[in-house]
Amino acid sequence: MWNRRELQRKIEEWLHEDLGYGDITTMSTIPESEQGVGILYAKEAGIVAGLQIAQQVFETVDPDLNFTAKVEEGARVEYGQQIAEVSGSVRSILSGERLALNLMQRLSAIATKTSEYAQAVAGTKARVVDTRKTTPGMRFLEKYAVRVGGGHNHRFALYDAVMIKDNHIKGAGGIAQAVAAARAAIPHTMTVEVEAETLGQVQEALNAGADIIMLDNMSNEKMVEAVQLIAGRALVEASGGVNLETIGSIAKTGVDIISVGALTHSVKAFDISLDLNTRKR
């Protein structure tokens, strides 16, 4: 999931960015005593993610607000379907509205996109994973949304796995040298992944004892050859040029993992609105 304290710190920071010294419009137009209900609803079909996060936003603005989810996290919703409602002080609802919606729209977009990719590889052994191409400060939430959508996470950051890419290979003097240096420096529990652009590099990575070999921008035909060459001695990851039109055929090459930067770096916000259409006095 996520660290609630870390999320709370982020929410307070984001609210400060948006509210500053107060919501001038709301404070000047809405009586302090006004109570109401805000209805969150989907304006397109897709997968909902971030309900608990939206709840934490509203509760941070005003602990007396009552947030009720109308669907489960990860549920598919249709256009016009109610997602949640928040009741209490109208001032508080409107002050928390934008941050709550921004977060839910971003995470639901990622979950929806991930679900599309996961469905495209259904029936194969390949799993869809994300990358580090995330919004700064939002990675833990965006990677959470990938899981909600049926995908899996790659390494979280630079510190939790070794991924030797082309520039590391150049700097170290070769694949063998890079892998040997990494093995000497890391715990035995940590994996080593090597990026390979050619079948020759795949063989070098195998000889060096890589745990995972990433096939970077290879044609499907070359990936089939690489999978046969590796023959189960390492996990095989495909990367580069992956989209919804190509992922199905990539999965059929026999790779174990397909990493997709588009899950997080270029999604369009999922459309969610809040309507203050019911009032209690």
Side-chain angles (χ1 to χ4, degrees):
M1 198 73 160
W2 58 77
N3 184 305
R4 187 174 175 85
R5 288 184 179 178
E6 180 183 0
L7 177 57
Q8 184 63 34
R9 180 177 60 82
K10 291 284 190 182
I11 287 173
E12 290 171 3
E13 176 184 327
W14 293 328
L15 282 172
H16 177 71
E17 175 187 57
D18 200 31
L19 291 174
Y21 297 106
D23 180 350
I24 299 294
T25 307
T26 296
M27 290 190 298
S28 62
T29 60
I30 306 295
E32 187 174 359
S33 61
E34 189 73 12
Q35 300 286 299
V37 179
I39 306 297
L40 284 74
Y41 67 95
K43 296 181 70 176
E44 61 181 301
I47 306 297
V48 172
L51 286 164
Q52 295 177 55
I53 298 160
Q55 179 176 357
Q56 194 167 335
V57 169
F58 284 116
E59 290 177 351
T60 299
V61 172
D62 182 349
D64 291 329
L65 288 178
N66 182 35
F67 183 93
T68 305
K70 298 297 185 180
V71 297
E72 296 289 330
E73 184 82 342
R76 180 172 180 83
V77 295
E78 302 302 325
Y79 175 86
Q81 186 171 345
Q82 287 190 13
I83 296 172
E85 70 174 36
V86 57
S87 60
S89 164
V90 171
R91 282 189 174 189
S92 298
I93 293 170
L94 297 182
S95 294
E97 172 187 3
R98 179 43 51 203
L99 177 58
L101 290 182
N102 283 352
L103 291 170
M104 280 200 69
Q105 288 181 154
R106 176 72 179 164
L107 300 188
S108 297
I110 291 170
T112 299
K113 181 63 68 177
T114 302
S115 177
E116 294 172 358
Y117 275 87
Q119 290 172 23
V121 302
T124 73
K125 69 174 183 176
R127 63 164 52 181
V128 176
V129 305
D130 53 27
T131 70
R132 284 170 43 246
K133 295 175 182 177
T134 55
T135 308
M138 287 277 292
R139 180 172 296 170
F140 71 111
L141 292 182
E142 293 182 348
K143 282 182 171 283
Y144 162 74
V146 167
R147 299 194 300 274
V148 172
H152 300 268
N153 297 146
H154 208 293
R155 60 177 176 165
F156 188 83
L158 294 172
Y159 55 73
D160 59 356
V162 173
M163 181 183 289
I164 298 170
K165 304 188 82 171
D166 55 349
N167 286 331
H168 301 106
I169 294 167
K170 292 174 185 175
I175 290 175
Q177 295 91 325
V179 173
R183 290 285 187 208
I186 63 174
H188 69 282
T189 54
M190 191 173 284
T191 57
V192 174
E193 180 167 4
V194 175
E195 179 184 88
E197 298 177 351
T198 66
L199 292 177
Q201 287 186 327
V202 169
Q203 186 63 62
E204 288 183 62
L206 276 174
N207 294 343
D211 301 300
I212 309 163
I213 299 175
M214 176 195 289
L215 310 179
D216 184 48
N217 284 297
M218 284 192 184
S219 67
N220 287 358
E221 293 74 22
K222 287 295 182 184
M223 281 192 277
V224 169
E225 291 184 56
V227 168
Q228 293 172 346
L229 177 60
I230 294 167
R233 289 174 287 174
L235 286 173
V236 187
E237 176 180 341
S239 181
V242 181
N243 56 50
L244 282 171
E245 287 68 46
T246 62
I247 193 170
S249 60
I250 292 172
K252 291 176 182 177
T253 65
V255 298
D256 302 293
I257 304 156
I258 305 175
S259 53
V260 186
L263 299 182
T264 55
H265 72 52
S266 58
V267 293
K268 174 183 173 291
F270 186 82
D271 200 355
I272 301 173
S273 284
L274 185 151
D275 274 356
L276 196 70
N277 58 6
T278 304
R279 290 192 175 189
K280 317 183 287 189
R281 295 185 185 273

